[in-house]
Each structure stands twice: as structure tokens, then as C-alpha cells.
Amino acid sequence: MALPKRIIKETERLMAEPVQGISAIPHEENLRHFDVVIFGPSQSPYEGGVFKAELFLPEDYPMAPPKVRFLTKIYHPNIDRLGRICLDVLKSNWSPALQIRTILLSIQALLGAPNPDDPLANDVAQQWKEDQNKAIATAKEWTEKYAKP
Amino acid sequence: MNRQRRKDFLLPLGGEQSFEPPVPPQSLMVGNVPSQESPEQVALAAHRDARQLVRLVQCPQCSRPLSAPATLPCGHTVCRRCLPHPRPRANISYPNTPDRLFGLACPLPQCGAEHAAAECNVDVTLSKLVELIKAEMTKHNPSTHATPTQLEEILQCDDSMAMEEKEKMRDISNQRVLHGGRLVSTFTMAEIGELQYGSDLVYHTLSSTGDDYQQLDNALLDRLREVAHKELDCLVCYTLMMDPTTTSCGHTFCRRCLARVMDHSSICPVCRRDLHIPASLQNKCSNALLNSLLNGLCPDLVAARAAAAEAEEQPGDDTLTTPLFVCTLALPTMPTFLHVFEPRYRLMMRRCVEGNRQFGMVMYNRTSAPQGDLGPTQFLEYGTLLEIVNFELLRDGRSFVETRGVGRFRICAHGMLDGYHVGRIERVEDLSLAEEGELEQRETTSAQELADQFQRENPDAALPADIALNLHSTQNLLDSCMEFIRQMRQASAPWLSARIVSVYGEPPEDPALFPYWFASVLPITEEEKYVLLRTNRVRERLKIVYSWIGRIRGQRWPSGNACSIL
């Protein structure tokens, strides 16, 4: 089926004016599928890390949110072992006025501001609440180990 | 006020004025005309239609260029400052939000309704647009006064007015010498408050060479088009707004984009405020001014957008024309009642209701068994074409749909459209009556021979079931079923309660249709009933339903506690 105009325009704009610290490139054979790279925000435990993710635009996008998953292992209370992300705008707070660009920015912001009170990875959130310094150290360690280019 | 009274300029003086507007001003003023319904539009020309173009951004109330425009529930737009002061509304308690308890009388005579204060907010798109237009106009306003045009206002007169009154109106009409071409000078005249919304203008160039500065107008309009175009994209589909519809919070989307948003939630996609509008949008007015702007500035793009939208709603492969509802078993000629709540099916139902009112109903393929050439699809291969008889849309966007089966089909190919399945179907029809007769003859005759032979060999044994079944004539099968129904009614079987019969009707006497009725009322699994959809012989169908009777006779029906759901 033909790709909706909106997806074409969003892709063009992402290519023409890329977001700082984020890249999203569509697959050639499936233009709804994007390879995403998010650079860890500075002054966060993920600084210096290069995190790969995949983004998929479902059939009823933009009525339904894009599906995003981290491919690089990351130690974060709102991201689980499978790379799934707990972020309101990817679920109930999605709105068709949002777009790929804003979603990726939200994810980058989530790396800068972990929210252990709304956890997806329970063990990580627990660690984060009990001993934040240790958790941050682990996050740095993981970044060093798994997210180095 | 700088009024000049020069009567000799009042009569047309040749080719200079635009007395006969190519677009009647009314068409630019009236509300709620969706773009696709209006007759073919011609783009307004910069020089010829300068007056109409400026009227598009004039407030019908104060006649000045719109400032912080508010689009009202009736689809009309005025400056926010031109709205009357809200006053408490009497006897209104729902929805009970503070801002709805105040109302204001619509300032436009053609509406006259009272709008809730909550619904008269600044129109975000139009606000930006008029600011941009104002900025462009200012930029093009010449610093030197080297391009003089005399503008003379022709006030709107009523034919019923007396001659002296008309004379008087001429006396009070404004005249000005302004610069920068017709567009800029007309806009300036509106800005200084000397151009009534309904008035026309006569232009006289005062250039020594007779130049009417047409090139200035053309250059400006090109620039305005460019500026406006960026603001006229819908935030949902990212293309030119089609039939723009503005929410009470002041955000504008294509009508069909807003309807699709409402399938999923009832809040504004931009500001997340509750929209408080019924999901159908049927009574929601379009944004009249934006429609006029679109049609006046770029009718070609509007037409192209409408054509593209129509193509988008078609599945990519134009043979996949039948929408498929994957839900339950439906039977030909019988009613099926649906409660539609999933967003994708809300969209499908809306399109059906607007289209030919038909869609295909297919059952889930629970066992993932391969379906003929289709492989293990999510749905079964055979289904029933349903026609919508009654469509009741609930306020929250769910709907109750009453349908009737109009025929059976087999799916030959399938695909997806906006989240729901679509298919290319082939109708399943019964064989001709000649073939049907031949089959009955052959089956009954050969069954008789087999029965005779069996009885000769085993005089005391009962006939095997298949031979006994084939011995029945087609009419005989129907009669046996009818007799069974009579007996069951006498025994007050719950599946034949008056309520059920009133929905499905009395059993049809046509042997071709009886099995569908019987299957509709009989409490057996849908998978068993499904085989009826594949049959192409009346006798085959009757044999299937007849075989059910034996099983049911042996069962005790649960008493009245059991639910029977219609």
C-alpha cells in the first residue's frame, strides 16, 4: 500500500534537518521501519554512549503511536531488558500532533531524567531508589560496556 | 475623517473599475459550505479581485483586518474584541463547566444563535495567518507615494431603498488616494477603517502613464500564497487542510482527520482539552473563512488534495474493494447486530455509511487452519456480505449497527487499509435449479437402491444414518425440520422464545433460506453453522441442518436461568 504523505514528509524533514544527537534512517525495503541512534545526553550516566534503537510506524500511524525499542543494552529504570520503553507519550498520552522527531526527543530526555517512580524494570528502579549513586555507577558501567561505538 | 465628496466619480468610467465581481461577495461570506460541495472554484486574481481578497481577512463585524480572530461554533470568524460580552446562560447545567455557563449572542446576523463562551476561542491557524498577511502588506506598503490609485467605496445598497437614501449613501461613502497597487491600498483602507465589509470599490489609477500597478498586485499575491501555504497544512496529515474544521479550543484540522482522531480519543491532539463534540462531527460546522481562503487562493491545490484523499481511502490495490469485519458469523437474509467500538472499525463503519453501506463479515480463524489458497489467515475464507439497515452512533463514537445479510462470498485476496482488513471477494451462489433437481434425483434414487440392498442383507438392522438421510426428498427434509420447530415451540424451548422469533421472523418456507433462519436461532456453535456458508446446493444445506435435529432432540434444554443474548 502507498505510504501516507505524512510519513514521507516526516522522513524528508528528519533527513533535511536532523535532530541534534539523534539519527533516524528508514529501511530501504520498509519505509515504516527506522534505524535510530540516540546519543546519551551530557551530564547523565549515559553520556558518551551511542544507543541503537528501532522505530516502527504501525499501519494506523499517526492515529496510533510509533513503536520504539532499544537494541543496545541500557541500565535505566524505565527501560527493560528487552529494550521496551515506559513513556506516556508512547502509550496513553500519544497524540497525532506528535511526531517521530518529538518522540525521539522525549526518549532522549528520558535518558537525562530517569523516573524510578514509574518503573518498567523493577529491579533497576529498586536499585535506583535504594542507592542512587550505585545505580548511576552501574548505568555508567553499562554505557561503557555496551554503548561504545 | 478625510471624506471627499466628488459625485462625478460615482458612475463607471470605463475599464478601470471592478464593478462586476467574478466571485459574488456572498460566496465569500456565507458559512459552512464544505469545499467539495461548492461549484468549481476559480482562483482569485490579484488585481481584478483585490476587493474580494481583502474582504477575506476583514472582520465582518468591525470591517477592519481581523485581529486575534475567533472562529465561532457556527463556523464564522470575527475579531475576538468584536465578540459581545458574555452573560450567564439561563437553565443550562450540562456540560457543567464554568465557561459553558456563560454565553454570547453570535454577532453575525445570519447565525443569531447563542454560543457558549467556552466555544469562542481564538483560532490559532487564522491568527497566525492574518498576522503573516498583515506583515506582508506592511512590507509591500511603499515608502514613496509614487503609485497613486484613487479608491472609491460603493456601499451596499438595498434595492428597496428609496432613491434619496441611495444618494445619501453615496455621499457618506469614502474616497481615498492610496499607494502600492490595489491589494495594498485596499488593505490600507480597511486598516484605517474606511472600508465597510460589504462595500465594493471602484479604482482609478492616477498614474501619469496610465499604469494600473498590476505587477505590484501579482507579486504581492504570489508572496501571500507562499506565506499562507505553510500555515494551511493540517497537523495530523501534514497536507493541505481539506474542509478545515476548528475545535472549540481553536485548533484546526481536516474534517476527516478530526473524525479519525475522535475514533481514538475525545481530546484535542494539540492542547489535549476535551473536545465536547459528538464523534460524528455531523453538526460541527466547517471553518467558513479558511474554506474561502483555500478556495480563493489555491483552488487547484484544494481539488488535487480532494482527489488524493479519495485515492488514499481506496486500498492500494483497487481490486481489494470489500472492507472485512472480522468478528462473528452472519447469515444471508438474517439480521446481525453489531456493537462497534474498536477505532479501526469505527472508521470502517463511517466509510461504509458514506459509501454503499456494505461490508463483509468473516469469523476469526481460531485454530489458524489454512484457508484454501490464502494460507492460515486471521479469518475464515467464507463470509457474508452485510448491508447496514440501521446505524446508531453514540455520543462517544461507539455505534450500534443493524445489518442484514445480502449474500455469501469467498475471499480471493486480502490486504490492509488503515488498520482493518480488505479483500477481493467472489460471490458464492447456489447451483441452477436444473442441477439441483438432478442432484436430488440421483441421491434419492441411489439411496433407495442402497437401502433396499441393505435391508435384504440385514433385515433387522436399522439403516446407516447417511443412507437414511439421503432417502429423504428435499421437501421432506424441510417438512421434518418444520415439524421439529413446531414440537420445540410446544415444549417452550428457550431458543424459540417470542423475543427471538420477533427478531428473526417466522421460519421461511423457502427451502433455500430455511437453513439460515434455523442456524440463526439454534444454539449450537458458530463453527458448526459456518459450513452453511460454503454450500452451493439447497439440498446440501437442508441435510446439514437436518443432521443437527437428531443431536438436539437428545439434549435437555437448560431452564430459564440461562442467558439468551440477542
Side-chain angles (χ1 to χ4, degrees):
Chain A
M1 214 178 78
L3 207 61
K5 195 91 184 186
R6 158 151 178 169
I7 296 182
I8 298 170
K9 284 203 177 173
E10 274 201 61
T11 309
E12 283 171 359
R13 284 179 207 170
L14 275 172
M15 299 288 116
E17 312 149 33
V19 197
Q20 178 112 42
I22 295 173
S23 90
I25 297 155
H27 284 197
E28 252 169 55
E29 73 282 10
N30 182 355
L31 296 170
R32 289 177 177 268
H33 206 133
F34 291 74
D35 283 327
V36 177
V37 175
I38 299 178
F39 292 86
S42 55
Q43 280 150 37
S44 79
Y46 311 100
E47 186 172 0
V50 177
F51 298 89
K52 286 194 183 130
E54 59 178 3
L55 180 146
F56 179 72
L57 304 173
E59 187 67 31
D60 45 356
Y61 179 81
M63 297 304 149
K67 296 183 192 316
V68 195
R69 193 170 77 90
F70 272 95
L71 298 172
T72 306
K73 264 172 85 91
I74 180 165
Y75 191 80
H76 190 289
N78 309 104
I79 301 166
D80 75 359
R81 280 186 305 127
L82 300 173
R84 294 177 300 187
I85 306 163
C86 178
L87 186 61
D88 61 344
V89 284
L90 283 175
K91 299 191 173 76
S92 56
N93 268 349
W94 166 253
S95 146
L98 296 171
Q99 44 171 307
I100 300 174
R101 178 186 297 268
T102 49
I103 283 298
L104 292 179
L105 280 170
S106 300
I107 294 173
Q108 199 181 34
L110 185 70
L111 294 188
N115 178 8
D117 293 324
D118 183 21
L120 189 63
N122 260 324
D123 47 339
V124 180
Q126 194 70 21
Q127 181 70 258
W128 216 278
K129 278 178 163 166
E130 281 169 6
D131 186 350
Q132 195 171 342
N133 289 338
K134 197 175 162 206
I136 288 174
T138 314
K140 277 185 181 158
E141 201 180 295
W142 281 39
T143 305
E144 207 55 45
K145 207 159 149 195
Y146 303 110
K148 280 298 164 182
Chain B
M1 285 252 241
N2 178 16
R3 264 183 208 152
Q4 296 175 13
R5 297 185 178 182
R6 287 183 50 191
K7 273 192 184 177
D8 49 336
F9 266 111
L10 281 175
L11 293 167
L13 287 174
E16 191 48 45
Q17 71 281 348
S18 61
F19 223 108
E20 283 290 319
V23 182
Q26 289 86 332
S27 77
L28 299 167
M29 291 189 249
V30 291
N32 205 22
V33 185
S35 52
Q36 61 264 47
E37 280 171 31
S38 49
E40 208 163 292
Q41 291 271 354
V42 190
L44 295 175
H47 189 68
R48 185 192 62 199
D49 304 319
R51 175 67 194 103
Q52 275 77 22
L53 283 162
V54 170
R55 187 179 283 119
L56 285 174
V57 291
Q58 257 184 300
C59 171
Q61 194 62 14
C62 67
S63 291
R64 296 195 187 236
L66 284 161
S67 151
T71 296
L72 309 175
C74 57
H76 298 109
T77 305
V78 293
C79 305
R80 185 158 65 168
R81 57 160 191 250
C82 292
L83 287 172
H85 198 70
R87 48 172 194 240
R89 299 207 290 171
N91 304 326
I92 288 184
S93 66
Y94 172 82
N96 189 6
T97 54
D99 47 0
R100 295 195 65 91
L101 299 179
F102 282 85
L104 41 91
C106 184
L108 293 152
Q110 62 265 51
C111 171
E114 182 184 62
H115 302 311
E119 294 180 351
C120 304
N121 288 312
V122 168
D123 184 322
V124 177
T125 306
L126 275 175
S127 281
K128 263 194 222 157
L129 211 53
V130 293
E131 287 315 316
L132 288 168
I133 291 174
K134 252 181 226 176
E136 280 305 317
M137 291 285 188
T138 314
K139 238 187 264 173
H140 283 76
N141 209 344
S143 45
T144 59
H145 287 185
T147 51
T149 304
Q150 167 139 10
L151 290 83
E152 194 177 300
E153 191 184 17
I154 309 288
L155 289 166
Q156 241 191 348
C157 322
D158 218 313
D159 283 343
S160 60
M161 281 184 189
M163 207 51 204
E164 313 93 75
E165 262 181 273
K166 284 188 187 173
E167 284 287 314
K168 207 166 136 201
M169 284 188 69
R170 282 183 192 174
D171 286 345
I172 61 162
S173 66
N174 294 303
Q175 291 194 17
R176 274 276 183 178
V177 175
L178 293 162
H179 300 266
R182 286 189 181 178
L183 270 176
V184 168
S185 55
T186 312
F187 189 82
T188 311
M189 196 158 165
E191 245 177 353
I192 54 179
E194 292 192 4
L195 182 60
Q196 290 294 310
Y197 180 76
S199 305
D200 266 320
L201 277 177
V202 185
Y203 300 91
H204 312 280
T205 178
L206 301 179
S207 150
S208 53
T209 57
D211 184 3
D212 57 4
Y213 316 117
Q214 196 159 342
Q215 73 289 357
L216 290 178
D217 289 328
N218 289 338
L220 173 55
L221 188 61
D222 284 348
R223 184 74 196 117
L224 288 179
R225 276 211 184 94
E226 211 175 294
V227 166
H229 197 217
K230 287 191 189 119
E231 297 303 317
L232 291 172
D233 272 358
C234 165
L235 277 174
V236 171
C237 66
Y238 286 24
T239 47
L240 193 72
M241 288 176 183
M242 190 170 87
D243 197 4
T245 305
T246 302
T247 62
S248 54
C249 45
H251 299 109
T252 307
F253 310 94
C254 305
R255 174 172 288 262
R256 43 175 238 138
C257 287
L258 186 57
R260 282 199 64 186
V261 166
M262 302 276 296
D263 285 341
H264 293 257
S265 88
S266 62
I267 58 171
C268 171
V270 175
C271 67
R272 300 180 193 272
R273 254 180 279 185
D274 209 314
L275 289 174
H276 279 304
I277 38 177
S280 72
L281 300 182
Q282 262 160 6
N283 300 320
K284 177 87 188 146
C285 292
S286 304
N287 190 318
L289 182 52
L290 272 175
N291 258 331
S292 304
L293 274 165
L294 284 165
N295 287 326
L297 291 178
C298 47
D300 47 332
L301 296 180
V302 172
R305 173 79 186 92
E310 200 171 319
E312 253 169 53
E313 294 203 358
Q314 300 290 327
D317 178 352
D318 32 286
T319 56
L320 301 175
T321 48
T322 309
L324 298 174
F325 199 133
V326 185
C327 176
T328 182
L329 176 83
L331 291 160
T333 70
M334 289 292 128
T336 302
F337 300 90
L338 301 166
H339 171 203
V340 181
F341 53 87
E342 271 186 74
R344 57 182 173 155
Y345 290 130
R346 292 185 192 186
L347 174 66
M348 185 181 114
M349 280 300 141
R350 203 163 56 244
R351 287 181 180 164
C352 284
V353 168
E354 285 165 8
N356 68 355
R357 298 180 76 89
Q358 291 191 346
F359 61 92
M361 175 60 79
V362 282
M363 284 169 69
Y364 275 111
N365 184 1
R366 285 182 220 280
T367 57
S368 300
Q371 299 296 305
D373 304 335
L374 303 176
T377 45
Q378 277 182 18
F379 42 81
L380 299 182
E381 189 181 9
Y382 289 86
T384 304
L385 199 61
L386 295 180
E387 187 163 77
I388 298 170
V389 178
N390 207 341
F391 182 77
E392 195 180 328
L393 187 66
L394 306 182
R395 212 190 134 72
D396 59 4
R398 291 179 300 133
S399 55
F400 287 121
V401 188
E402 182 188 347
T403 62
R404 187 163 290 274
V406 288
R408 296 172 291 146
F409 61 81
R410 188 177 77 83
I411 300 170
C412 306
H414 64 96
M416 291 291 272
L417 175 63
D418 294 323
Y420 61 80
H421 294 277
V422 285
R424 177 159 57 83
I425 59 167
E426 153 190 287
R427 292 292 281 259
V428 176
E429 306 272 4
D430 283 342
L431 294 176
S432 71
L433 289 179
E435 282 170 286
E436 182 79 46
E438 215 175 282
L439 171 87
E440 182 180 359
Q441 222 167 27
R442 202 169 56 235
E443 258 188 22
T444 48
T445 317
S446 82
Q448 193 59 55
E449 282 165 13
L450 285 171
D452 289 348
Q453 191 191 348
F454 185 87
Q455 272 171 344
R456 270 197 306 278
E457 288 165 10
N458 316 284
D460 299 322
L463 276 177
D466 55 330
I467 299 179
L469 182 61
N470 278 340
L471 270 179
H472 288 288
S473 72
T474 302
Q475 185 60 43
N476 194 245
L477 287 170
L478 176 70
D479 292 343
S480 309
C481 291
M482 287 291 204
E483 178 54 30
F484 172 71
I485 299 285
R486 261 190 297 281
Q487 287 170 8
M488 285 293 135
R489 271 189 167 174
Q490 271 165 7
S492 307
W495 49 276
L496 279 171
S497 73
R499 221 155 75 87
I500 288 176
V501 173
S502 76
V503 169
Y504 293 100
E506 289 293 325
E509 283 171 20
D510 182 342
L513 304 182
F514 174 81
Y516 301 135
W517 179 89
F518 195 53
S520 295
V521 298
L522 204 65
I524 60 169
T525 65
E526 290 190 338
E527 278 75 10
E528 278 189 90
K529 297 174 184 177
Y530 170 70
V531 293
L532 290 179
L533 296 183
R534 296 196 305 223
T535 59
N536 59 0
R537 289 176 297 215
V538 176
R539 184 172 168 78
E540 197 185 345
R541 279 204 292 281
L542 275 169
K543 273 160 65 179
I544 292 167
V545 295
Y546 181 82
S547 70
W548 295 340
I549 292 181
R551 285 215 334 259
I552 285 160
R553 273 196 206 280
Q555 292 174 17
R556 256 186 71 87
W557 291 100
S559 56
N561 315 343
C563 288
S564 63
I565 297 163
L566 278 184

